[in-house]
Coordinates of all heavy atoms in Angstrom, one line a residue:
K12 N 27.2 1.8 -16.7 CA 26.3 3.0 -16.8 C 24.9 2.6 -17.0 O 23.9 3.1 -16.4 CB 26.8 3.9 -17.9 CG 26.1 5.2 -18.1 CD 26.7 6.1 -19.1 CE 26.1 7.4 -19.2 NZ 26.6 8.3 -20.3
R13 N 24.6 1.6 -17.9 CA 23.3 1.2 -18.1 C 22.7 0.5 -16.9 O 21.5 0.8 -16.6 CB 23.3 0.1 -19.2 CG 23.5 0.7 -20.6 CD 23.3 -0.3 -21.7 NE 23.6 0.3 -23.0 CZ 24.4 -0.3 -23.9 NH1 24.9 -1.5 -23.7 NH2 24.6 0.4 -25.0
A14 N 23.5 -0.2 -16.1 CA 23.0 -0.9 -14.9 C 22.5 0.2 -13.9 O 21.5 0.1 -13.2 CB 24.0 -1.8 -14.3
K15 N 23.4 1.2 -13.8 CA 23.1 2.3 -12.8 C 21.8 3.1 -13.2 O 21.0 3.4 -12.4 CB 24.2 3.3 -12.7 CG 25.4 2.7 -11.9 CD 26.5 3.8 -11.8 CE 27.7 3.2 -11.1 NZ 28.8 4.2 -11.0
L16 N 21.7 3.3 -14.5 CA 20.5 4.0 -15.0 C 19.2 3.2 -14.8 O 18.1 3.7 -14.4 CB 20.6 4.4 -16.4 CG 21.6 5.5 -16.8 CD1 21.8 5.6 -18.3 CD2 21.1 6.8 -16.2
A17 N 19.3 1.8 -15.0 CA 18.2 0.9 -14.8 C 17.8 0.9 -13.3 O 16.6 0.9 -13.0 CB 18.5 -0.5 -15.3
E18 N 18.8 0.8 -12.4 CA 18.5 0.8 -11.0 C 17.8 2.1 -10.5 O 16.9 2.1 -9.8 CB 19.8 0.7 -10.2 CG 20.4 -0.7 -10.2 CD 21.7 -0.8 -9.5 OE1 22.1 0.1 -8.8 OE2 22.4 -1.8 -9.7
A19 N 18.3 3.3 -11.1 CA 17.7 4.5 -10.7 C 16.3 4.6 -11.2 O 15.4 5.1 -10.5 CB 18.5 5.7 -11.3
A20 N 16.0 4.1 -12.4 CA 14.6 4.1 -13.0 C 13.7 3.2 -12.1 O 12.6 3.6 -11.8 CB 14.7 3.6 -14.4
E21 N 14.2 2.1 -11.7 CA 13.4 1.2 -10.8 C 13.1 1.9 -9.5 O 12.0 1.8 -9.0 CB 14.1 -0.1 -10.6 CG 14.1 -1.0 -11.8 CD 14.9 -2.3 -11.5 OE1 15.3 -2.6 -10.3 OE2 15.2 -3.0 -12.5
R22 N 14.1 2.5 -9.0 CA 13.9 3.3 -7.7 C 12.8 4.4 -7.8 O 12.0 4.5 -7.0 CB 15.2 3.8 -7.2 CG 15.4 4.0 -5.8 CD 16.8 4.5 -5.3 NE 17.9 3.8 -6.1 CZ 18.8 4.5 -6.8 NH1 18.7 5.8 -6.9 NH2 19.7 3.8 -7.4
R23 N 12.9 5.1 -8.9 CA 11.9 6.2 -9.2 C 10.5 5.6 -9.3 O 9.6 6.2 -8.8 CB 12.3 7.0 -10.4 CG 13.4 8.0 -10.2 CD 13.5 8.9 -11.4 NE 13.7 8.3 -12.7 CZ 14.8 8.0 -13.2 NH1 15.9 8.2 -12.5 NH2 14.9 7.4 -14.4
Q24 N 10.4 4.5 -10.0 CA 9.1 3.8 -10.2 C 8.5 3.4 -8.8 O 7.3 3.6 -8.5 CB 9.2 2.7 -11.1 CG 9.3 3.1 -12.6 CD 9.4 1.9 -13.5 OE1 9.7 0.8 -13.0 NE2 9.3 2.1 -14.8
K25 N 9.4 2.8 -8.0 CA 8.9 2.3 -6.7 C 8.5 3.5 -5.8 O 7.5 3.5 -5.1 CB 10.0 1.6 -6.0 CG 10.2 0.2 -6.5 CD 11.3 -0.6 -5.8 CE 11.6 -1.9 -6.4 NZ 12.7 -2.6 -5.7
E26 N 9.2 4.6 -5.8 CA 8.9 5.8 -5.1 C 7.6 6.4 -5.6 O 6.8 6.8 -4.8 CB 10.1 6.8 -5.2 CG 11.3 6.4 -4.4 CD 12.5 7.3 -4.6 OE1 12.3 8.3 -5.4 OE2 13.5 7.1 -4.1
A27 N 7.4 6.4 -6.8 CA 6.2 7.0 -7.4 C 5.0 6.1 -7.0 O 3.9 6.7 -6.8 CB 6.3 7.1 -8.9
A28 N 5.2 4.8 -7.0 CA 4.1 3.9 -6.7 C 3.6 4.0 -5.3 O 2.5 3.9 -4.9 CB 4.5 2.5 -7.1
S29 N 4.6 4.3 -4.4 CA 4.3 4.3 -3.0 C 4.2 5.7 -2.4 O 4.3 5.9 -1.2 CB 5.3 3.5 -2.2 OG 6.6 4.1 -2.3
R30 N 4.2 6.7 -3.3 CA 4.2 8.1 -2.8 C 3.0 8.3 -1.9 O 1.9 8.0 -2.3 CB 4.2 9.0 -4.0 CG 4.4 10.5 -3.6 CD 4.6 11.4 -4.8 NE 5.9 11.1 -5.4 CZ 6.0 10.9 -6.7 NH1 5.0 10.9 -7.5 NH2 7.2 10.7 -7.2
G31 N 3.2 8.9 -0.8 CA 2.1 9.3 0.1 C 1.9 8.2 1.1 O 1.2 8.4 2.1
I32 N 2.3 7.0 0.9 CA 2.1 5.9 1.8 C 3.4 5.7 2.6 O 4.4 5.1 2.0 CB 1.7 4.6 1.1 CG1 0.4 4.8 0.4 CG2 1.5 3.5 2.1 CD1 -0.1 3.7 -0.5
L33 N 3.4 6.1 3.8 CA 4.7 5.9 4.6 C 4.8 4.6 5.3 O 5.8 4.0 5.4 CB 4.7 7.0 5.7 CG 4.7 8.4 5.1 CD1 4.8 9.4 6.3 CD2 5.9 8.7 4.2
D34 N 3.6 4.0 5.7 CA 3.7 2.7 6.4 C 2.6 1.8 5.8 O 1.4 1.9 6.1 CB 3.3 2.9 7.9 CG 3.5 1.7 8.7 OD1 4.0 0.7 8.1 OD2 3.2 1.7 9.9
V35 N 3.1 1.0 4.9 CA 2.2 0.1 4.1 C 1.5 -0.8 5.0 O 0.3 -1.1 4.8 CB 3.0 -0.7 3.0 CG1 2.1 -1.6 2.3 CG2 3.7 0.3 2.1
Q36 N 2.1 -1.3 6.0 CA 1.5 -2.3 6.9 C 0.2 -1.7 7.7 O -0.8 -2.3 7.8 CB 2.4 -2.8 8.0 CG 1.9 -3.9 8.8 CD 3.0 -4.5 9.8 OE1 4.0 -3.9 9.9 NE2 2.6 -5.5 10.5
S37 N 0.4 -0.4 8.1 CA -0.8 0.2 8.8 C -1.9 0.4 7.9 O -3.1 0.3 8.2 CB -0.3 1.5 9.4 OG 0.0 2.5 8.5
V38 N -1.6 0.7 6.6 CA -2.7 0.9 5.6 C -3.4 -0.4 5.4 O -4.7 -0.4 5.3 CB -2.1 1.4 4.3 CG1 -3.1 1.5 3.2 CG2 -1.5 2.8 4.4
E39 N -2.7 -1.5 5.3 CA -3.3 -2.8 5.2 C -4.2 -3.1 6.4 O -5.3 -3.6 6.2 CB -2.3 -3.9 5.0 CG -1.6 -3.9 3.6 CD -2.6 -4.2 2.5 OE1 -3.4 -5.1 2.7 OE2 -2.6 -3.6 1.4
E40 N -3.7 -2.8 7.6 CA -4.5 -3.1 8.8 C -5.8 -2.3 8.8 O -6.9 -2.8 9.1 CB -3.7 -2.8 10.0 CG -2.6 -3.8 10.3 CD -1.7 -3.4 11.4 OE1 -1.9 -2.3 12.1 OE2 -0.7 -4.1 11.7
K41 N -5.7 -1.0 8.4 CA -6.9 -0.1 8.4 C -7.9 -0.7 7.3 O -9.1 -0.7 7.6 CB -6.5 1.3 8.0 CG -5.8 2.0 9.1 CD -5.4 3.4 8.7 CE -4.7 4.1 9.8 NZ -4.3 5.5 9.4
R42 N -7.4 -1.1 6.2 CA -8.3 -1.6 5.2 C -9.0 -2.9 5.7 O -10.3 -3.0 5.5 CB -7.5 -2.0 3.9 CG -8.4 -2.5 2.8 CD -7.6 -2.9 1.5 NE -6.6 -3.9 1.8 CZ -6.9 -5.2 2.0 NH1 -8.1 -5.6 1.8 NH2 -5.9 -6.1 2.2
K43 N -8.3 -3.8 6.4 CA -8.9 -5.0 6.9 C -9.9 -4.7 8.0 O -11.0 -5.3 8.0 CB -7.8 -5.9 7.5 CG -7.0 -6.6 6.4 CD -6.0 -7.5 7.0 CE -5.1 -8.1 5.9 NZ -4.0 -8.9 6.5
R44 N -9.7 -3.7 8.8 CA -10.6 -3.3 9.9 C -11.9 -2.7 9.2 O -13.0 -3.0 9.6 CB -10.0 -2.2 10.8 CG -9.4 -2.8 12.1 CD -9.0 -1.7 13.0 NE -7.6 -1.7 13.0 CZ -6.8 -0.6 12.8 NH1 -7.4 0.6 12.7 NH2 -5.5 -0.6 12.8
K45 N -11.7 -1.9 8.2 CA -12.8 -1.3 7.5 C -13.7 -2.4 6.9 O -14.9 -2.4 7.0 CB -12.4 -0.3 6.5 CG -13.5 0.4 5.7 CD -12.9 1.4 4.8 CE -14.0 2.1 4.0 NZ -13.5 3.0 3.0
E46 N -13.1 -3.4 6.2 CA -13.8 -4.5 5.6 C -14.6 -5.3 6.7 O -15.7 -5.7 6.5 CB -12.9 -5.4 4.8 CG -12.4 -4.8 3.6 CD -11.4 -5.7 2.9 OE1 -11.0 -6.7 3.4 OE2 -10.9 -5.3 1.8
K47 N -14.0 -5.5 7.8 CA -14.6 -6.3 8.9 C -15.8 -5.5 9.4 O -16.9 -6.1 9.6 CB -13.6 -6.5 10.0 CG -14.1 -7.3 11.2 CD -13.1 -7.5 12.3 CE -13.6 -8.2 13.5 NZ -12.6 -8.3 14.5
I48 N -15.7 -4.2 9.6 CA -16.9 -3.4 10.1 C -18.0 -3.4 9.0 O -19.1 -3.6 9.4 CB -16.4 -2.0 10.4 CG1 -15.5 -2.0 11.6 CG2 -17.6 -1.0 10.6 CD1 -14.8 -0.6 11.9
E49 N -17.6 -3.3 7.8 CA -18.6 -3.3 6.7 C -19.4 -4.6 6.7 O -20.6 -4.7 6.5 CB -18.0 -3.0 5.4 CG -17.6 -1.5 5.2 CD -16.9 -1.3 3.9 OE1 -16.5 -2.2 3.2 OE2 -16.6 -0.1 3.6
K50 N -18.6 -5.7 6.9 CA -19.2 -7.0 6.9 C -20.2 -7.2 8.0 O -21.3 -7.7 7.9 CB -18.1 -8.1 6.9 CG -18.6 -9.5 6.8 CD -17.5 -10.5 6.8 CE -18.0 -11.9 6.6 NZ -16.9 -12.9 6.7
Q51 N -19.8 -6.7 9.3 CA -20.6 -6.8 10.4 C -21.9 -6.0 10.2 O -23.0 -6.4 10.6 CB -19.9 -6.3 11.7 CG -18.8 -7.2 12.2 CD -18.1 -6.6 13.4 OE1 -18.2 -5.4 13.7 NE2 -17.3 -7.5 14.0
M52 N -21.8 -4.8 9.6 CA -22.9 -4.0 9.4 C -23.9 -4.7 8.4 O -25.1 -4.6 8.5 CB -22.5 -2.6 8.9 CG -21.9 -1.8 10.0 SD -21.4 -0.1 9.4 CE -23.0 0.6 9.3
A53 N -23.3 -5.4 7.4 CA -24.2 -6.0 6.4 C -24.9 -7.2 7.0 O -26.0 -7.5 6.6 CB -23.3 -6.5 5.2
T54 N -24.3 -7.9 7.9 CA -24.9 -9.1 8.5 C -25.8 -8.7 9.7 O -26.7 -9.5 10.1 CB -23.9 -10.1 9.0 OG1 -23.0 -9.5 9.9 CG2 -23.1 -10.6 7.8
S55 N -25.7 -7.6 10.3 CA -26.5 -7.2 11.4 C -27.9 -6.8 10.9 O -28.1 -6.4 9.8 CB -25.9 -6.1 12.2 OG -25.9 -4.9 11.4
R56 N -28.9 -6.9 11.8 CA -30.3 -6.6 11.3 C -30.4 -5.1 11.3 O -29.8 -4.4 12.0 CB -31.3 -7.2 12.3 CG -31.1 -6.8 13.7 CD -32.0 -7.6 14.6 NE -31.7 -7.4 16.0 CZ -32.5 -6.8 16.9 NH1 -33.7 -6.5 16.5 NH2 -32.1 -6.6 18.1

């Protein structure tokens, strides 16, 4: 019973942490693209 409750609590925490983010990989790609554009703009005259 304790093991099942612990698993359920971990599952709820993971769901709460990633709520709203369906595809973590695409979010990372967008962040990297945004950083690249910002860097280009900073280095351009």
